[in-house]
Amino acid sequence: MKTFGSLLLGAAFAVTATAVAAQEERFITIGTGGQTGVYYVVGQSICRLVNRDTATTGIKCTAPSTGGSVANVNAIKSGDMTMGVAQSDIQFHAYNGSSDEFAGDKKFDNLRAVFSVHPEPFTVVARKDASIAGFDDLKGKRVNVGNPGSGQLATMEVVLDAKGWSMDDFSLASQLKPAEQSAALGDNKVDAIVYTVGHPNGSIQEATSTVEANLVPVEGPEIDALVEANPYYAKAVIPGGMYAGTDADTNTFGVKATFVTSADVPEDMVYEVVKAVFDNFDRFKGLHPAFANLTPEEMVTQGNSAPLHPGAEKYYKEQGWIE
Ligand code: GLU
């Protein structure tokens, strides 16, 4: 009787302990971008799906607005954020220590890929009255080159380097945030703005509807060479008719948005996040038009250069998406 009794007690205790462990609260913070961009929607959408399961997983997710790719990777490195969205070129450079932003001890060996998301064309929008028909016409103009910490500023620096230009080739190189730059274009404070962002998006819609404006092609031998030399770049086309003032297709190049984390984040946490997204994939895709063409197979195999986080890898193997 005694033995039986204590066994029962042991079993009851075990059940209670499991229930408590399952509901122990853990917090995930996802770094996004400006509130008018698509990263903000990526983070908010992931959190919305993760938070539906809080009762069973104990995980609570928030996705605040941030400065963008470079700021997110640095925040994950310092432990201030758990996960974040970053351009594929930034993921590559952070992991390999191959750009100024990530040189020396700024390199982030523990960066891990989770999945890639939507394509992000390098997008230049100009006021029609500034007569900017191609990238070369930006010389001497007032250009918003991207806020500090953003992916667009980093990619703009690469483009300027490739062309043998510097910020001094502009009469003004302002660093306004995405949420401010469309208004600056409308108010004639700048002639053109630069944004590496998924389409369609509200920010470029605002820029092209508050003032007569056109998208500017970014092409030519220097861009061909960049795309040729770097796995994280690809040619991109912004379809004609997507925004007011630009009826023809706009040729440019671009990156992919990717979702990243640190090797220090526990496997089961990343597993739960990935599961929340892919178990509810149609719902996720419906949360922004830039997600319309996403497929799980591409998201797990393209745009990632850091190793996959083991928690993500586990889910993808279960689904048969990777070997
Ligand atoms: N690509 C931008 C960046 O890396 C952010 C774009 C967005 O917020 O959608 O900073």
Side-chain angles (χ1 to χ4, degrees):
M1 277 301 269
K2 242 184 174 178
T3 315
F4 187 57
S6 69
L7 263 182
L8 257 187
L9 187 68
F13 176 74
V15 168
T16 316
T18 314
V20 168
Q23 282 173 28
E24 186 187 305
E25 283 190 353
R26 293 186 296 168
F27 294 90
I28 289 182
T29 319
I30 296 177
T32 63
Q35 278 172 358
T36 56
V38 185
Y39 285 14
Y40 190 67
V41 184
V42 172
Q44 294 290 318
S45 304
I46 293 172
C47 280
R48 188 188 296 194
L49 297 174
V50 168
N51 288 340
R52 279 157 41 109
D53 298 329
T54 304
T56 46
T57 64
I59 299 174
K60 285 193 175 164
C61 182
T62 52
S65 166
T66 71
S69 286
V70 177
N72 295 342
V73 168
N74 287 331
I76 296 168
K77 182 167 188 258
S78 67
D80 289 342
M81 295 217 168
T82 327
M83 311 180 99
V85 195
Q87 293 179 189
S88 49
D89 53 345
I90 304 300
Q91 179 184 142
F92 182 96
H93 291 311
Y95 182 69
N96 294 294
S98 50
S99 70
D100 288 351
E101 291 98 353
F102 300 104
D105 60 4
K106 288 182 279 179
K107 179 173 185 234
F108 185 14
D109 294 314
N110 267 352
L111 182 65
R112 292 293 177 269
V114 182
F115 51 74
S116 62
V117 209
H118 54 281
E120 298 190 273
F122 182 74
T123 306
V124 180
V125 187
R127 291 175 61 91
K128 280 239 157 98
D129 61 12
S131 305
I132 297 170
F135 192 89
D136 289 353
D137 297 329
L138 291 172
K139 210 163 225 180
K141 301 283 200 237
R142 301 165 300 162
V143 182
N144 193 67
V145 295
N147 61 288
S150 72
Q152 47 275 10
L153 179 58
T155 308
M156 183 63 164
E157 278 164 350
V158 171
V159 173
L160 293 183
D161 251 15
K163 295 193 76 76
W165 296 17
S166 76
M167 293 292 177
D168 294 338
D169 284 294
F170 304 123
S171 62
L172 171 77
S174 58
Q175 301 196 337
L176 298 173
K177 292 176 183 171
E180 302 158 340
Q181 68 175 355
S182 301
L185 190 77
D187 294 344
N188 203 9
K189 302 247 167 56
V190 294
D191 299 306
I193 59 174
V194 168
Y195 203 5
T196 314
V197 66
H199 294 286
N201 69 77
S203 184
I204 304 296
Q205 239 140 26
E206 188 196 336
T208 50
S209 59
T210 51
V211 64
E212 291 215 9
N214 58 281
L215 298 188
V216 178
V218 184
E219 54 190 351
E222 299 91 352
I223 302 300
D224 292 346
L226 271 183
V227 171
E228 181 80 10
N230 297 297
Y232 43 80
Y233 290 140
K235 291 278 177 73
V237 178
I238 306 167
M242 189 171 259
Y243 299 104
T246 307
D247 297 332
D249 287 355
T250 305
N251 292 330
T252 181
F253 78 110
V255 292
K256 268 198 173 200
T258 71
F259 191 49
V260 296
T261 188
S262 160
D264 293 339
V265 174
E267 181 175 322
D268 73 303
M269 205 177 222
V270 176
Y271 180 88
E272 292 297 348
V273 171
V274 165
K275 182 170 159 49
V277 171
F278 289 107
D279 281 3
N280 302 288
F281 194 55
D282 284 340
R283 189 184 290 255
F284 178 78
K285 279 207 306 188
L287 293 171
H288 197 286
F291 305 159
N293 299 322
L294 297 181
T295 66
E297 288 77 5
E298 284 188 12
M299 291 167 75
V300 309
T301 56
Q302 295 183 5
N304 299 314
S305 41
L308 277 178
H309 189 283
E313 198 169 42
K314 181 174 171 213
Y315 184 86
Y316 303 154
K317 282 191 176 152
E318 285 171 5
Q319 301 297 316
W321 295 335
I322 57 171
E323 302 258 297

